[in-house]
Amino acid sequence: MAIDRTFQFGEDHLTASIALGMAHGSIKGILTDECLQHVNASHQRVQRIVEKGDTVYGINTGFGPLCSTRISKEDTKILQSNILKSHSVGVGDPISTELAKIMLILKIHALAKGFSGIAETTLQRMLWHLENDAIPVVPSQGSVGASGDLAPLSHLFLPLIGLGKVAYNGKIIPTEELFQKTGLQPLELGPKEGLALINGTQFIAAHGVMVVHKLQYCLRHADIIGAMMLEGLQGSMKPFFEELHQLRPFKGNQHVAGRIRTLLQGSEILEDHIDCERVQDPYSLRCMPQVHGASRNAWLHLKELLEIELNSVTDNPVIINDELTISGGNFHGQPLAMALDYAALAASEIGNISDRRIYLALEGNSPGVPKLLMNDTGINSGYMILQYTSAALASENKSLCFPASADSIPTSLGQEDHVSMGSISGRKALNIIENVEKILAIELLTSAQAFEYRKPLKSGVLLDEIHTFLRTKVAFAENDRVFADDIEKGIEIIQNREIIDLVDRVMDEKQLKWNAPHLDEFETY
């Protein structure tokens, strides 16, 4: 992938999209001379603390409950490598290489701010791993999100001292083998360096990056697919009128209502039933702005908090200047843990209301749309059982919505007596979003099937283009078939964001614009 721009670690403002750009290779992260001056100055401050013999946590003391155990000047280097070894206690399947790479990016940025005492050689080696795509293997379980993500970060940086494993050239290999291939040697960590490496919230924050990224696409899909279902079931347009949402001006509600108005602009289907006798639609149709909008607001909250975290110093102790070193709590994961639990609930609700629309489509209560979305039922079950799958996924998501941040189990012999469990919040949120993608794929299939029965009437240009595209992938169903194959194609369309790309392309070609307030806030991250 061609490099579009550079990002200055420790100096530029990091966002989720920039982190993803670096992980995917379109943005190159660099360490400037000015950045390295700050890094080296902080490193020298640590060296002076060691020479003076002042007692400073993590530099010449043990860790956690051993904070009062004094470490000799001679043993401070051994202490730093030992902390990586002893804290590498992660279990479970490894996180994706993409997530581990994002962790590495976030940690380089935090250390490059010059408040952590890290050595330039250590930071340069971390950058080497990123640039050469030698990404450490990080187990998914073991962090309580208290002193940050101790176990995952320890595994992330074991390769610095020649231990652990890395993903390299498509294979998982021991670091020793990587060193043989590249000629690298293990680093000798100096005072404070091991602690600086493993204190921090980069496991939680990396999951936050992926949640912001993937949930935003789920939200965009939900509006598009919900609009298609509204057309298929001949729902009313009035609940999306701007005048209504000016009276309850939540940003998310206004944005969703505006998006759906744009998607339905010029629809013959709407005109065909504008004077029908139905007074109200079920909530899953008419309350899309309120439900999708509430999830949008939750997404916006996470995005704003995550951006603060991505540009923060979260290790401990923090080296402020020559006179001031603070052992505080910037590593505590609570700010993101709670927001990720909120985002998990927001994602689950998108799947929940989508399942209700799927069920609604099967009832046969909309004129012209047959029960179970198929004319010849009895011998055919139609789309009945697809809703079983969406119901199962929606139920699984509800069970995953218990907030991990509501729990705390004291660790470190009581020194860490309140923990965030934010790593679990992040992992659960991603699991929920993956289930929502599948539910939305099923709604895409069922909404397209209902939409078909409105022909020869046309919808707006955007939804008609989407329906035409979908029919190149999944045929209209006149009889039962192995619907799992259709679902897999639907999931692929959702995960590849094909209909979102199609909408963007058609809008450019037709010179259309979203009639949706707060566009920049909800479409950028």
Side-chain angles (χ1 to χ4, degrees), residues 240-300:
F240 307 94
F241 280 12
E242 186 176 4
E243 292 86 346
L244 176 67
H245 297 284
Q246 286 175 342
L247 300 176
R248 197 188 188 201
F250 288 111
K251 289 181 179 180
N253 302 32
Q254 292 180 312
H255 183 72
V256 171
R259 279 173 56 82
I260 292 176
R261 288 196 303 272
T262 304
L263 289 161
L264 298 180
Q265 187 175 333
S267 169
E268 294 177 1
I269 299 172
L270 279 177
E271 291 296 324
D272 184 62
H273 66 96
I274 198 164
D275 294 320
C276 72
E277 295 180 357
R278 277 197 310 192
V279 178
Q280 291 183 336
D281 293 323
Y283 288 2
S284 60
L285 292 179
R286 66 177 157 121
C287 294
M288 279 192 277
Q290 290 78 13
V291 178
H292 292 192
S295 292
R296 288 263 182 182
N297 293 332
W299 177 87
L300 186 60

Side-chain angles (χ1 to χ4, degrees), residues 215 295 337-352 393-407 424-433 435-436 439:
L215 180 54
S295 292
M338 295 180 72
L340 284 164
D341 284 333
Y342 183 21
L345 178 61
S348 180
E349 279 301 289
I350 291 297
N352 202 12
L393 293 165
S395 180
E396 182 177 319
N397 279 352
K398 293 171 191 177
S399 71
L400 290 169
C401 274
F402 181 87
S405 59
D407 187 31
I424 303 170
S425 302
R427 288 170 46 229
K428 289 200 299 100
L430 282 181
N431 287 343
I432 289 170
I433 289 168
N435 286 339
V436 171
I439 296 170

